[in-house]
Amino acid sequence: MAARDDILTRPQIDEALAGLPDWRYRLGGLVTVYKTPTSAAALELISAVGRVAEDMDHHPDLDWRYNRVFIRFSSHDAGGEVTPRDTGAAASVSAAAAAAGAEAQPGLYRSVDIGIDTADAAEISEVWRVALGYRKGRFGDLVDPYGRGPGVWFQETRTPNDNRLHLDVHRSKAESAPVLEKTAATGALMNSDHAPGWVVVTDAQGNRLCLCTEEGQGLDLGEAEPAGSESGG
């Protein structure tokens, strides 16, 4: 069982990531994608990751897509934050991937949240929780207990947007520039007031999404963070 004292601060996470080039920080976890030569090789890598997980008694969220393996480590018993167990497991998985001849492609790992504008989150959050089969997160957000669906958070405002639902698409800062450039080329309105943390994109019909990076994510211990504060979209 992880203790609160085990949670790494963002500077500590960044220090650890300097020695983990295959990995990125994302919304309380460490994420990466490995590409293998064949689907059979991907299965071998999954087996190796499984052995690491069993040896360390620390298990990732893992998704297999033909010759690519998507992996996320987070310490659920520490409230869904990063602890030394995650950095240690990431290092062991990187070693296993190198032995398997896998190529790290962390830029392919993107996360999607749904933001809902509302004047009163308490009035509506239970409807969404029950309908989705989610659990409550640490900051009033809603989380898929199996890590498969997008998170849901409530952006409380006295003046909700007419289009109350928007998507937050999370990528690492290192891989965000080409996506921003291509999105701008579509003619969408790009509000960069909060860049590089997030850029608000509005399409021709007024629908919004936020292209977010890990900039500013991660808790300073002892501080609370409101739901959706990573994106602010």
Side-chain angles (χ1 to χ4, degrees):
M1 178 70 69
R4 179 73 176 174
D5 292 344
D6 292 330
I7 297 174
L8 299 181
T9 64
R10 183 54 194 273
Q12 289 173 324
I13 293 171
D14 289 340
E15 182 180 356
L17 287 175
L20 297 169
D22 294 356
W23 298 79
R24 303 289 186 266
Y25 175 75
R26 181 74 51 73
L27 297 174
L30 301 182
V31 303
T32 194
V33 180
Y34 285 108
K35 179 183 178 181
T36 60
T38 65
S39 60
L43 282 172
E44 291 297 326
L45 176 58
I46 291 169
S47 294
V49 173
R51 289 191 291 272
V52 168
E54 285 296 299
D55 289 345
M56 301 186 71
D57 192 24
H58 192 52
H59 301 82
D61 294 331
L62 186 148
D63 189 12
W64 172 35
R65 291 290 184 266
Y66 185 61
N67 66 336
R68 288 181 172 87
V69 182
F70 294 69
I71 306 171
R72 182 179 190 273
F73 277 106
S74 182
S75 292
H76 303 293
D77 54 359
E81 300 291 346
V82 175
T83 70
R85 287 189 299 158
D86 300 301
T87 56
S92 295
V93 167
S94 291
E103 175 191 356
Q105 297 182 330
L108 295 181
Y109 200 113
R110 59 184 177 272
S111 306
V112 178
D113 281 348
I114 299 172
I116 303 177
D117 279 10
T118 177
D120 186 354
E123 185 178 31
I124 63 173
S125 62
E126 189 67 2
V127 173
W128 288 84
R129 188 192 68 79
V130 172
L132 291 167
Y134 278 18
R135 63 174 176 80
K136 289 185 178 180
R138 294 183 64 197
F139 309 113
D141 54 330
L142 303 178
V143 181
D144 184 345
Y146 302 105
R148 298 187 67 246
V152 178
W153 67 278
F154 302 93
Q155 179 168 269
E156 289 199 300
T157 172
R158 294 181 181 179
T159 56
N161 192 276
D162 289 340
N163 294 314
R164 294 196 175 197
L165 273 67
H166 73 270
L167 298 183
D168 292 332
V169 184
H170 297 267
R171 291 180 173 85
S172 68
K173 183 179 176 182
E175 287 93 13
S176 65
V179 177
L180 289 169
E181 183 177 349
K182 290 177 182 178
T183 304
T186 68
L189 178 64
M190 310 286 286
N191 183 330
S192 300
D193 289 350
H194 300 284
W198 68 88
V199 173
V200 181
V201 180
T202 306
D203 68 18
Q205 297 181 8
N207 304 297
R208 296 176 303 148
L209 61 88
C210 293
L211 298 179
C212 311
T213 74
E214 78 280 12
E215 186 77 10
Q217 293 180 18
L219 291 177
D220 291 330
L221 296 185
E223 292 186 1
E225 192 171 274
S229 61
E230 298 93 343
S231 66

